[in-house]
Amino acid sequence: MTLTVGVIGGGQLARMMIPAATHLGIDLRVFAENDGSPSAIAATQVGDYVDADQVLRFTREAAVDVITFDHEHVPQAVLSALVEAGVAVRPGPNALLYAQDKLLMRARLSELGLPVPEWAAVSTEAELDAFIEAHGGVAIVKTPRGGYDGKGVRVVRRGREANDWFEAPGIGALLAEELVEFRRELAQSVARRPSGDIVAWPVVESVQQNGVCAEVIAPAPNSAGRIADVAEQIAVTVAEGLDVTGVLAVELFETTDDRLLINELAMRPHNTGHWSIEGSTTSQFEQHLRAVLDLPLGATGTRDAWTVMVNVLGGPVGGGLDSRYAKAMAEHPTVKFHSYGKDSRPGRKVGHVSVGGSDLDDAMYQARAAAEILTE
Amino acid sequence: MTLTVGVIGGGQLARMMIPAATHLGIDLRVFAENDGSPSAIAATQVGDYVDADQVLRFTREAAVDVITFDHEHVPQAVLSALVEAGVAVRPGPNALLYAQDKLLMRARLSELGLPVPEWAAVSTEAELDAFIEAHGGVAIVKTPRGGYDGKGVRVVRRGREANDWFEAPGIGALLAEELVEFRRELAQSVARRPSGDIVAWPVVESVQQNGVCAEVIAPAPNSAGRIADVAEQIAVTVAEGLDVTGVLAVELFETTDDRLLINELAMRPHNTGHWSIEGSTTSQFEQHLRAVLDLPLGATGTRDAWTVMVNVLGGPVGGGLDSRYAKAMAEHPTVKFHSYGKDSRPGRKVGHVSVGGSDLDDAMYQARAAAEILTE
C-alpha cells in the first residue's frame, strides 16, 4: 500500500522532501499558495491555507495518510478542523502553537525548566523601558507571531523604538529578551515519532548574516562532549515536553560564559539541517517523512568528518542553471548544488551548496567559493 | 534559465533521475508508455515512442533542451527524425545503434581492438553447429535486439536449440559467443559530455542470479591496480569509440585466466550503478543529467570504503511501504531503501536497498537481510 503525505506549503522545504519521497516510494501531495511554487514538481493543489474548507478538501482529494508542513503559519482553527475531521496532523496543533507564538513558547520552555534568555511580555513603551533598564540598557524585541529570517526582530535601546508595533492592530504584547552575549550560534535537530522514538543529529554551528542563516558546519567544531550532550538533551526535552512529531530544530546560543540558551524553535526541516542531505546517513527530509508516517527512524550519523553548507542568497534569475552554475560545477566537482526553482531577489534564499570532507578548512573554502560564484 | 531534460521511457531509471533533477533545479519531463509509470511523479506525457510524430510533439510541448532515455528501444527512424528536427539527442542515434544491436556492437568493439568473447553471426542451424563445435561443444546464442535481464539469451549445445529463433520473422542472424569461463562479473561505468570530458566511477562487482543483477559491491573487491585500470581504459575506449554521451555502463567478465572481456553495454544509468546514489559523491543519475546537458561532471569518488546494493525482486504488492518496510527499517537503520512504485510480480525488480560502511561483511549482511525482509 502506498503511503501518502500531504504537505501544506510549497516552499523549498516541501521541494526537498520530493527526493526522499521518490526514493522511499511515498506519494507526496502539496497544498501550495500559488502556481509555480518550488515544490510544483510534486502533485500540487493550489489553495489558501487559512481556509479550513479548502484544506479539508485537499486532504480528502489527495487521500493523505498524514498532513505535515512546509511552514508554521497554518492557523490553529484550520489545524483543529483537520484534527476534528480525523486527519492525522503532525506536528499537531498543540505542538505547533509553540512554534507559532514566541511568547507561549518562552513561557512553556521556562515551565519545563529549559535554559532560555531572560524574557518578559511587554505591552507598553513603559514596560519595555523597564525591561531595557533592568538588562543593561538594551533588549531584543520580537513580534510573537509571523517573524522569520530576522523579520519581526529588533535590537532596541528605548521603548519607543517599538511603538509602531505596540500601536499596530493584531500584534498584542511583544516578547522582550535580554541581548545574549554569545560566542556562536548552534542548532540541534531531532526527529520524533508519534510512538515516542526519538533520534538526534549531531549539533551544528550556524553562522548568521543579517539575521539570516548563511553557513552551517556539521558537526559544530569543538562540540564533542558536554556541549553535544547538553544540546541533545535540550532538544529531546523540548520535543517530548511539547509533544513534537517530525523534525524539530532548536536554535541555540552558546554564551560567552559557556551556557546553552534556546533561541528559536522550528517544527519542520530547517535550514540548519540541509547539510544532512549528503552529510548524514538519513537526511532531515527523509527523517521527517518517516517520523510523521510513524515509520522507524533512520541512522543519524555523519558521512564525513565535516560537512559545510552555504546558502545561496540572491543568485541567478529564475534560480535555474546558467553559466554561473557551469563555472561553479567546473571549479568545484565535489560540491553538491541545490537550486530551489525560485525567482531571484537580493538576499533571498534561492539555493544552497554542500560539501563534505576530512579537512574543515578545505570544505569551508570549497563551499564558500562555489556559493560566491552563484551569487556574483 | 531553467534547463529542461526530456526522458523517453518512464521506468525506474527515469524515476531515479527525479531526485537529482529536483536538487539541481533541472526541469525533468518524461514521455512514458502508460499512466502510472514509476516516473509519474515528474511531469509526464503518455505516448508511443515508436511514433516519431508523437515524440516530436513531446519535445516541442515540453520545450526540452535535450532528449535522453530510460531504455534503448527507441527506433533509429524516430531518433533520426528528432535529430533532423534539430533536437539534441544524447546519446545520439549513432551511439545507440550499438546498444540496440548486439551484432553491430560486437563488430564495432572488435574493430576498436577491444577484448570481447569470441563471436560470430550465425544465420542457420549448421552455422551455429559449426561455431559450437569450434568452441568446446557449447555456445551462448543471443537475439541481436530486444533482449534484457537474461531474455533473448540461451546456452546451447546443438544448433537446433535456436531453430525457433532462426525461423521467427524479423530476428535475422543471431549472435553466437563462446561460453566464457569467468571468475566473476564486473561493471565499469563512465560518463561523457558532448565536449569530450569523461569521468569514471570505480569498477564494481555484479552478482547475477538467473541472468538478473542481484547484488553489486562497490568497489569490486581485490580490483585495485591492474583490474581497475584496465576496466576504466576499456570503458573510456568504448565511450570515445562509439561517441557515447551520458552514462555508459560496460558489463565485463573477469576470466579465470585473468582477462577482462566485454559482455554487454548500456548507454544510460544502469542497475550496476545504483550504489552511486549514496555511495559516490555524484550519483549516476545526477551525472547523466549533467552529461547530457553538457554541464561539468561531478566527482566520482566513493563515500564509504564499501557500498553494497541488493535488488528487491518481487516484494510488496504495489511496491509501496507496508509492514515489511517498517520491519526492515526498524532492523536496519543504516540501510537506504528505494522503491520504484511498480506492481509486484515474482522476480520483477521493484526496488533496491543500499548500505555503506567500512566493513564489507557487515554491509553485505545488512543489505541482504533488509532485502530479504522485503521479498519474504
Side-chain angles (χ1 to χ4, degrees):
Chain A
M1 200 194 68
T2 303
L3 294 174
T4 303
V5 174
V7 185
I8 300 186
Q12 64 258 31
L13 302 179
R15 179 187 179 96
M16 287 186 273
M17 293 180 199
I18 297 170
T22 301
H23 283 308
L24 286 176
I26 292 167
D27 192 4
L28 198 73
R29 305 297 179 101
V30 179
F31 186 78
E33 297 91 274
N34 38 51
D35 281 324
S37 67
S39 69
I41 300 152
T44 299
Q45 189 174 316
V46 172
D48 185 353
Y49 61 78
V50 307
D51 183 332
D53 288 340
Q54 287 188 35
V55 178
L56 271 168
R57 200 178 318 126
F58 163 69
T59 67
R60 277 194 300 266
E61 288 175 7
V64 304
D65 291 292
V66 62
I67 279 287
T68 191
F69 308 93
D70 170 82
H71 59 69
E72 291 132 339
H73 309 316
V74 180
Q76 284 286 321
V78 174
L79 299 173
S80 301
L82 290 172
V83 171
E84 278 160 29
V87 179
V89 177
R90 292 174 189 152
N94 295 339
L96 277 170
L97 192 60
Y98 302 106
Q100 292 176 332
D101 189 309
K102 295 187 208 295
L103 276 172
L104 292 177
M105 184 263 281
R106 281 282 177 251
R108 181 75 181 122
L109 296 182
S110 297
E111 202 175 275
L112 288 167
L114 286 161
V116 295
E118 290 187 29
W119 67 278
V122 293
S123 299
T124 63
E125 180 184 335
E127 286 176 15
L128 180 52
D129 271 326
F131 185 90
I132 290 167
E133 197 181 349
H135 292 87
V138 62
I140 306 286
V141 62
K142 298 178 179 177
T143 57
R145 295 170 161 271
Y148 67 96
D149 279 355
K151 294 178 185 65
V153 178
R154 281 181 201 162
V155 181
V156 298
R157 291 170 192 281
R158 289 172 193 278
R160 66 168 182 261
E161 292 171 55
N163 273 351
D164 54 330
W165 282 346
F166 287 128
E167 287 157 17
I171 294 186
L174 301 177
L175 170 63
E177 292 181 347
E178 65 171 321
L179 181 66
V180 173
E181 287 186 38
F182 62 86
R183 190 176 291 133
R184 57 178 179 170
E185 292 190 65
L186 303 174
Q188 173 67 57
S189 287
V190 296
R192 183 168 173 269
R193 293 173 67 179
S195 64
D197 283 354
I198 191 162
V199 292
W201 284 272
V203 66
V204 302
E205 179 172 341
S206 146
V207 181
Q208 313 277 317
Q209 282 170 3
N210 308 319
V212 179
C213 172
E215 296 180 2
V216 169
I217 305 165
N222 306 312
S223 66
R226 190 190 67 89
I227 290 174
D229 292 346
V230 172
E232 181 173 333
Q233 196 189 329
I234 287 172
V236 167
T237 306
V238 172
E240 292 176 344
L242 274 49
D243 194 20
V244 180
T245 47
V247 167
L248 165 75
V250 181
E251 295 183 79
L252 298 158
F253 295 121
E254 183 184 329
T255 66
T256 49
D257 57 352
D258 292 321
R259 292 174 303 144
L260 295 185
L261 300 179
I262 298 173
N263 182 16
E264 303 281 357
L265 305 181
M267 296 183 188
R268 49 170 172 74
H270 188 252
N271 198 163
T272 57
H274 292 355
W275 69 276
S276 64
I277 297 173
E278 292 92 9
S280 176
T281 301
T282 309
S283 80
Q284 64 170 349
F285 299 100
E286 176 181 343
Q287 200 80 287
H288 188 73
L289 294 174
R290 288 165 74 145
V292 300
L293 285 167
D294 204 14
L295 287 166
L297 302 174
T300 50
T302 55
R303 302 207 59 206
D304 285 294
W306 301 105
T307 305
V308 176
M309 190 286 315
V310 177
N311 279 329
V312 177
L313 304 175
V317 173
L321 293 154
D322 68 357
S323 61
R324 282 182 286 195
Y325 265 95
K327 181 169 189 276
M329 286 176 167
E331 293 180 9
H332 304 285
T334 62
V335 167
K336 306 317 294 177
F337 296 89
H338 300 264
S339 176
Y340 305 155
K342 290 160 83 170
D343 288 334
S344 189
R345 287 199 300 264
R348 190 184 201 196
K349 288 180 195 166
V350 295
H352 74 267
V353 301
S354 175
V355 64
S358 54
D359 184 290
L360 178 55
D361 287 340
D362 181 62
M364 290 280 277
Y365 166 74
Q366 298 287 343
R368 286 178 180 173
E372 194 176 320
I373 293 170
L374 301 179
T375 46
E376 260 167 11
Chain B
M1 199 193 69
T2 303
L3 295 174
T4 303
V5 174
V7 186
I8 300 187
Q12 64 258 31
L13 301 178
R15 179 187 179 97
M16 286 186 273
M17 292 178 199
I18 297 169
T22 302
H23 283 307
L24 286 176
I26 292 167
D27 193 4
L28 198 73
R29 305 298 179 103
V30 179
F31 186 78
E33 295 92 275
N34 38 51
D35 281 323
S37 69
S39 69
I41 301 154
T44 299
Q45 187 173 318
V46 172
D48 185 353
Y49 62 77
V50 307
D51 182 333
D53 288 340
Q54 287 188 36
V55 178
L56 270 168
R57 201 177 318 126
F58 163 70
T59 64
R60 277 194 300 265
E61 288 176 7
V64 303
D65 292 291
V66 61
I67 279 286
T68 191
F69 308 93
D70 170 82
H71 59 70
E72 290 132 341
H73 309 315
V74 179
Q76 283 286 322
V78 174
L79 299 172
S80 302
L82 290 172
V83 172
E84 278 160 31
V87 179
V89 177
R90 293 175 189 151
N94 294 339
L96 276 170
L97 192 61
Y98 301 106
Q100 293 176 331
D101 190 308
K102 295 185 208 295
L103 276 172
L104 292 177
M105 184 262 283
R106 281 283 177 253
R108 180 76 181 121
L109 296 182
S110 297
E111 202 174 276
L112 289 167
L114 286 160
V116 295
E118 290 188 27
W119 67 278
V122 293
S123 300
T124 64
E125 180 184 334
E127 284 176 16
L128 182 51
D129 271 326
F131 185 89
I132 290 168
E133 198 181 350
H135 292 86
V138 62
I140 306 285
V141 62
K142 298 177 179 177
T143 57
R145 294 169 162 271
Y148 67 97
D149 280 355
K151 293 176 185 67
V153 178
R154 281 180 200 163
V155 182
V156 297
R157 289 170 191 282
R158 289 171 191 280
R160 65 169 181 259
E161 292 172 56
N163 273 351
D164 56 328
W165 282 346
F166 286 128
E167 287 156 17
I171 294 185
L174 300 177
L175 171 63
E177 291 181 347
E178 65 170 320
L179 181 66
V180 173
E181 286 187 36
F182 61 86
R183 190 177 291 134
R184 58 179 179 169
E185 292 189 64
L186 303 175
Q188 174 67 57
S189 286
V190 296
R192 183 168 173 270
R193 292 174 67 178
S195 63
D197 283 353
I198 190 162
V199 293
W201 285 273
V203 67
V204 302
E205 179 172 340
S206 144
V207 181
Q208 312 277 316
Q209 282 169 4
N210 307 318
V212 180
C213 172
E215 297 180 2
V216 168
I217 304 165
N222 306 311
S223 65
R226 191 190 66 90
I227 291 174
D229 292 346
V230 172
E232 181 172 333
Q233 196 189 330
I234 287 172
V236 167
T237 307
V238 172
E240 292 176 344
L242 274 50
D243 195 19
V244 180
T245 46
V247 167
L248 166 75
V250 181
E251 295 182 81
L252 298 158
F253 295 122
E254 183 183 328
T255 67
T256 50
D257 58 349
D258 292 321
R259 293 175 302 144
L260 294 185
L261 299 180
I262 298 172
N263 180 18
E264 303 281 356
L265 305 181
M267 296 180 190
R268 48 171 171 74
H270 188 252
N271 198 164
T272 56
H274 291 356
W275 70 274
S276 63
I277 297 173
E278 292 92 8
S280 176
T281 301
T282 309
S283 81
Q284 64 169 348
F285 299 100
E286 176 181 343
Q287 200 80 287
H288 188 72
L289 294 173
R290 288 165 76 145
V292 300
L293 284 166
D294 204 14
L295 288 166
L297 302 173
T300 51
T302 55
R303 302 208 57 205
D304 286 295
W306 301 104
T307 305
V308 177
M309 189 285 316
V310 177
N311 279 329
V312 177
L313 304 174
V317 174
L321 293 155
D322 68 357
S323 60
R324 282 180 287 195
Y325 265 95
K327 182 171 189 277
M329 286 176 167
E331 293 180 9
H332 303 284
T334 61
V335 167
K336 306 316 295 176
F337 296 90
H338 300 264
S339 176
Y340 304 155
K342 290 160 82 169
D343 289 334
S344 189
R345 287 199 300 263
R348 191 183 201 198
K349 287 180 196 167
V350 295
H352 75 267
V353 301
S354 175
V355 65
S358 54
D359 183 291
L360 178 56
D361 288 339
D362 181 61
M364 289 281 275
Y365 166 74
Q366 298 287 344
R368 285 178 181 174
E372 195 177 316
I373 293 169
L374 301 179
T375 47
E376 262 166 10

